[in-house]
Amino acid sequence: MILCCGEALIDMIAAPTDSGEHGFVPHSGGAIFNTAIALGRLDAPVGMLTGLSSDMFGQQMAAALRASHVDASQVIRSDRPTTLAFVQLQDGHATYSFMDENSAGRMLTPEDMPTQLPAVSALYFGGISLACEPCADAYAALLDRHGSDRAVMLDPNIRPGFIQDQTRYRTRLNRMIAQADIVKVSDEDLDWIVPGPESISEKVPLLLQSGPSVIIVTRGGDGASGFLADGSETSVPVQPVQVVDTVGAGDTFNAGVLAELERSGHLTKTALRAIATDTLRAALTKGAEVAAITVSRAGANPPWAHEL
């Protein structure tokens, strides 16, 4: 199965109450959690490795994983609190305020990581769990331990506000990029990783040279492009929909890409090294399709396979 490794948290989303004042409604979320849920709903074999609290919010997220057919055997339980992300939506775009000190997810250490992953064929990493220590070091150690013989996808989803030591973060992220087979970045992520005025087509080869077989660059409403080590590339447009909000759009896109690659038998290191542009385009198209459904409704609510 595909093991999604990273944060699971509660999005506290503002909503009007009966009195007319705004309150906050708890929704299960987090970038890696959203991708795991989306993969489960797309009928892909998927599990999640994260730190979950025994509190009411941890129980809520565990139930959500079960409901979307996500294997939770690698979840690490503790009595620490759940990470809370208070979300404000304006014109469909989200801004966040996090409560994450001493949380069940953040406090994972390299020693907590499993020594064996017998049922896992691919690993997916990303999100704020790659920036917040000590869990960032734990996930890097997991990749060191298990990434050499499994397909690896990485989406750093860079949020500069979470980076306390930029040198440490860049060093860790660059090492993980070199170990990944697929690296997906937004155009903003790419500019942060490779600073300078150069174009996307000039910056992508620098990432490919470090080790990945595939680089995917998303550009919001301008679609997504995939780049291969042999210099070939392919692009897909976004699917036109009425946008309600963008929460979970990129996470669901990643799930569509992974699900299609898994379905077509290309989610292995060997297959990704030799992947054709037509195969990559099909994966990007699936990602765009499932992301379009997610943005057409409120919150991170990925589609089920029967909705496609």
Side-chain angles (χ1 to χ4, degrees):
M1 65 183 177
I2 304 165
L3 187 64
C4 296
C5 311
E7 76 266 15
L9 52 82
I10 292 292
D11 286 323
M12 302 293 286
I13 298 180
T17 65
D18 291 342
S19 67
E21 298 181 13
H22 273 76
F24 286 89
V25 179
H27 295 266
S28 300
I32 311 306
F33 179 92
N34 292 339
T35 298
I37 291 290
L39 280 165
R41 293 184 180 185
L42 293 174
D43 295 333
V46 60
M48 179 146 198
L49 194 164
T50 191
L52 279 190
S53 174
S54 58
D55 66 16
M56 69 176 74
F57 297 127
Q59 294 173 33
Q60 174 181 323
M61 288 186 286
L65 291 172
R66 289 193 299 270
S68 291
H69 314 304
V70 180
D71 183 287
S73 61
Q74 296 295 339
V75 167
I76 300 165
R77 309 276 182 163
S78 76
D79 293 331
R80 294 188 176 97
T82 295
T83 299
L84 303 180
F86 287 83
V87 186
Q88 292 281 6
L89 293 172
Q90 187 169 10
D91 299 326
H93 295 279
T95 56
Y96 298 84
S97 177
F98 284 84
M99 298 177 63
D100 191 35
E101 291 299 319
N102 198 40
S103 68
R106 182 173 183 172
M107 298 309 292
L108 295 180
T109 67
E111 291 71 31
D112 293 318
M113 295 295 103
T115 57
Q116 301 291 328
L117 293 175
V120 174
S121 55
L123 298 168
Y124 171 71
F125 297 92
I128 61 173
S129 53
L130 301 188
C132 298
E133 298 175 354
C135 72
D137 290 325
Y139 290 118
L142 182 73
L143 177 56
D144 287 339
R145 188 177 298 166
H146 297 294
S148 62
D149 56 353
R150 295 171 172 88
V152 176
M153 182 172 178
L154 174 71
D155 176 5
N157 194 11
I158 294 168
R159 298 193 181 195
F162 280 89
I163 302 170
Q164 296 183 345
D165 186 325
Q166 188 173 131
T167 299
R168 279 177 59 84
Y169 176 76
R170 282 190 182 276
T171 300
R172 183 172 54 241
L173 179 61
N174 288 338
R175 188 174 79 249
M176 295 183 78
I177 288 173
Q179 295 169 283
D181 302 287
I182 306 169
V183 175
K184 178 256 184 167
V185 290
S186 68
D187 47 2
E188 293 179 349
D189 291 338
L190 182 59
D191 286 338
W192 194 93
I193 296 169
V194 186
E198 294 81 10
S199 66
I200 290 174
S201 60
E202 292 172 309
K203 292 182 177 183
V204 164
L206 299 176
L207 290 188
L208 286 168
Q209 289 169 16
S210 69
S213 298
V214 179
I215 302 293
I216 298 170
V217 181
T218 56
R219 304 183 307 281
D222 294 326
S225 298
F227 301 82
L228 303 180
D230 65 4
S232 59
E233 61 181 271
T234 186
S235 296
V236 300
V238 298
Q239 299 197 5
V241 293
Q242 183 68 42
V243 175
V244 174
D245 68 51
T246 60
V247 178
D251 311 326
T252 310
F253 173 88
N254 292 342
V257 170
L258 285 166
E260 178 60 23
L261 290 172
E262 193 277 333
R263 185 203 63 79
S264 66
H266 289 85
L267 196 55
T268 68
K269 284 189 178 297
T270 301
L272 288 169
R273 290 190 194 103
I275 193 169
T277 53
D278 287 350
T279 303
L280 179 57
R281 185 183 304 112
L284 298 180
T285 299
K286 181 65 70 176
E289 180 182 8
V290 295
I293 295 175
T294 297
V295 302
S296 70
R297 52 202 193 189
N301 184 11
W304 295 83
H306 66 79
E307 296 182 81
L308 302 183

